[in-house]
Amino acid sequence: MLAIVLGMLIVVGGVLFFRLHAFLALFFATLVVAAATASYCVRESALDNHAANIVALADQQVELAAVGDEFKSQPGAYYIVSGEEDLPQLDAQSVWIEQFDASTATLRENLAESPRLPARLISQHDYDQAVKLSETSATSRVADALGKTFGKIGVLIAMASIIGQCLLTSGAAERIVQTIRQALGQRWTTLAFVISSFILAIPVFFDTVFFLMLPLAQAMARRTGRDYLKYVMSIIVGGTLAHSLVPPTPGPLFVASELNVSIGAMAIGGIAVGIWGVFAGYIYMLWANRRWQIPLRFDEAEQVTDAAPPNDSRLPSFGLSILPVVIPIILLALLTFYKAAKPDFGSALTPVLDTAIPFLGDKNIALSLGALLAMLTLILKPKTTWVELGKSVQKALAEGGVVILITCAGGAFGEMIRQTDVGATIANLMPSSVSGSGLLAMAFLVTLTIRVIQGSATVAMIAAIGIVVPLATQIGLPFHPVYLALAIGCGSKPLPWMNDSGFWVISRMSGFTEKETLQTFSVLLTIMGIASFLATLLAAYLFPLA
């Protein structure tokens, strides 16, 4: 635990006091945690991730606790590992498993001597890998964790950056906003802003969405002469939850990958619970707009004459503009539903679909197709050359590269935290009868605490997953892991204040004072995060999907 506390202090102190780049702060903290972790803790952490707990042993039958996805429940060579988990030396007996049947395993022959309980069953391959990992140097473990994190989400973040940049440069993002607003009418402009910002925040980072839509909010406030606060808050209501709940933004993408949750399931779940947070935020937005009248203070607003651009006809069509966003979502959702339903289309068609749908629904392929469609919206723009397209892609990759570095460092930091075997430590401190809702509440509160301390929602999610996953492995989940991912996403929203860059983006760009930003932005995100978390709790209880 001391190593974890030291690592957290380095991250928080490095970012807040020494003004280090987030990547450097996370990287230095990762090295320190890895160097301070005892080798037997590394081994224990690896064993916990790939072992099944033995409940009872009788003759040739082994009764197991709940078997997770990481456990290789196949016939072959195994070890029964017994002994106290906090001791460096463990007693391992080699056995051969003939077959598995639900939560029981059948041995080929009786054991020479009965192992001490509690004990664990683990394949010899995984046991050897755990021992090998414990003997690896700290720097090698950090480098390996960095590479694994990049393999999971590096390509996805790069493709999402290209999608966002091309949508902005081509005018496709502006077309989406304009079309939705015109379809709903001026009376429902705030709802149009909510829907537009939610859609745009799926492939585009929230601060970019805010930069894009704020001029439209200022134009509407100047035209009507009132409700400036409502227009600004409607952008926040729509865009902020997608940033933490719906991939491919880095936070939910990373959390989903660490919990082995498909991107399609995470996106569907994020939208489902996010709607309730948006609803709660919308109600607070209407109340706050009646409570406080915040004027449009910028002189630049005098230059804005209309919310619609003068060259509206030169923007791409709505259908082409929306394709880079909806096609990846459709493909990812299609794969999720196809795996769940497992339809049979006949001997001729089924093998083709079994190959095509997993390929197209692969997260890297789906996002890459979205990036190609986004580049198409830009190259079809009048007077756009291939050189300009290349510059836009280069800018997107440069910005996305920084995000990838931070995310990979955060992933390595979480992995080093896991290797301290903190999950077993925390699990031993918690009541043995902890419920699923208690685990969700803990995930929410851990993420919230990290968020308040260091400010970044994405970093909070990345850091929290390293603490929550080992605990979930120890206790077991009575529901689908997507609910745990959603609880972490909800916990990254409440209580943003001065150490959050988003706080200053909202304050400075909109012209709000610090007090006004705390009353509106900070309270709004807190309400939305709590409402979405309560929706997650209810959904996990009613539809556990275990």
Side-chain angles (χ1 to χ4, degrees), residues 517-540:
T517 309
L518 286 170
Q519 290 174 331
T520 57
F521 172 70
S522 299
V523 176
L524 175 66
L525 261 64
T526 301
I527 291 174
M528 294 177 68
I530 294 174
S532 297
F533 174 65
L534 292 177
T536 302
L537 275 179
L538 183 61

Side-chain angles (χ1 to χ4, degrees), residues 72-396:
K72 296 180 179 179
S73 54
Q74 300 173 354
Y78 284 78
Y79 276 120
I80 292 181
V81 182
S82 59
E84 296 297 329
E85 296 182 358
D86 58 347
L87 295 178
Q89 298 297 325
L90 294 177
D91 179 26
Q93 269 192 83
S94 179
V95 297
W96 186 272
I97 301 295
E98 286 289 318
Q99 64 179 10
F100 282 90
D101 183 15
S103 294
T104 61
T106 303
L107 305 180
R108 174 183 289 176
E109 55 188 21
N110 290 325
L111 292 169
E113 57 182 87
S114 180
R116 291 174 298 158
L117 296 181
R120 288 166 292 174
L121 185 67
I122 183 172
S123 72
Q124 288 191 6
H125 175 267
D126 288 332
Y127 182 86
D128 293 339
Q129 290 297 110
V131 173
K132 181 180 178 180
L133 180 65
S134 67
E135 297 171 351
T136 305
S137 66
T139 53
S140 295
R141 286 188 281 116
V142 171
D144 184 56
L146 285 168
K148 286 182 178 179
T149 306
F150 179 85
K152 290 180 180 179
I153 60 175
V155 174
L156 301 179
I157 294 176
M159 293 300 109
S161 298
I162 293 174
I163 292 174
Q165 182 62 42
C166 289
L167 288 182
L168 293 174
T169 307
S170 67
E174 196 166 8
R175 169 63 77 184
I176 293 172
V177 174
Q178 291 296 328
T179 301
I180 294 177
R181 189 175 71 86
Q182 291 170 6
L184 294 177
Q186 184 170 333
R187 179 183 178 185
W188 300 101
T189 297
T190 52
L191 182 59
F193 282 177
V194 170
I195 297 173
S196 300
S197 59
F198 188 89
I199 293 174
L200 291 176
I202 293 175
V204 182
F205 297 120
F206 171 70
D207 55 352
T208 305
V209 174
F210 189 77
F211 293 148
L212 167 72
M213 297 192 61
L214 183 61
L216 299 176
Q218 292 174 341
M220 289 302 301
R222 185 176 183 275
R223 176 185 295 175
T224 60
R226 56 187 174 85
D227 294 336
Y228 176 54
L229 175 60
K230 182 171 70 172
Y231 294 132
V232 172
M233 290 182 70
S234 66
I235 299 173
I236 301 171
V237 167
T240 187
L241 276 179
H243 179 76
S244 293
L245 294 177
V246 184
T249 47
L253 181 65
F254 180 79
V255 169
S257 66
E258 289 296 291
L259 289 169
N260 293 319
V261 174
S262 69
I263 296 182
M266 185 68 185
I268 294 171
I271 293 173
V273 303
I275 288 175
W276 297 101
V278 169
F279 178 75
Y282 196 86
I283 298 299
Y284 177 75
M285 175 195 75
L286 297 177
W287 178 87
N289 187 63
R290 291 194 300 267
R291 181 69 173 80
W292 300 294
Q293 290 298 321
I294 299 178
L296 178 60
R297 299 185 174 110
F298 290 131
D299 293 336
E300 292 83 351
E302 298 296 328
Q303 303 172 7
V304 183
T305 58
D306 200 329
N311 296 322
D312 187 70
S313 61
R314 300 182 64 179
L315 297 177
S317 66
F318 177 75
L320 180 60
S321 299
I322 202 71
L323 280 181
V325 179
V326 299
I327 290 299
I329 294 175
I330 290 174
L331 291 175
L332 294 169
L334 178 63
L335 178 60
T336 301
F337 287 123
Y338 189 77
K339 285 182 175 180
K342 296 180 180 179
D344 186 3
F345 294 99
S347 58
L349 190 56
T350 297
V352 176
L353 293 177
D354 285 343
T355 302
I357 292 180
F359 175 77
L360 295 174
D362 177 82
K363 54 187 179 182
N364 293 312
I365 298 298
L367 267 293
S368 297
L369 290 175
L372 288 175
L373 290 171
M375 288 189 283
L376 182 64
T377 66
L378 182 55
I379 200 63
L380 292 179
K381 184 180 180 181
K383 298 182 180 181
T384 299
T385 64
W386 288 99
V387 174
E388 292 172 330
L389 174 63
K391 290 181 179 178
S392 294
V393 172
Q394 182 178 357
K395 180 181 179 182

Side-chain angles (χ1 to χ4, degrees), residues 392-472:
S392 294
V393 172
Q394 182 178 357
K395 180 181 179 182
L397 293 177
E399 295 175 350
V402 176
V403 177
I404 291 173
L405 280 175
I406 295 173
T407 307
C408 288
F413 181 56
E415 178 61 26
M416 294 308 105
I417 289 178
R418 280 191 290 276
Q419 289 182 7
T420 64
D421 204 26
V422 65
T425 303
I426 299 177
N428 291 333
L429 295 175
M430 295 184 67
S432 57
S433 59
V434 64
S435 63
S437 59
L439 186 59
L440 291 180
M442 194 214 70
F444 177 81
L445 292 174
V446 166
T447 313
L448 188 154
T449 302
I450 299 173
R451 151 76 153 169
V452 172
I453 291 173
Q454 54 78 46
S456 169
T458 300
V459 173
M461 295 176 70
I462 292 172
I465 195 70
I467 298 174
V468 172
V469 168
L471 181 60

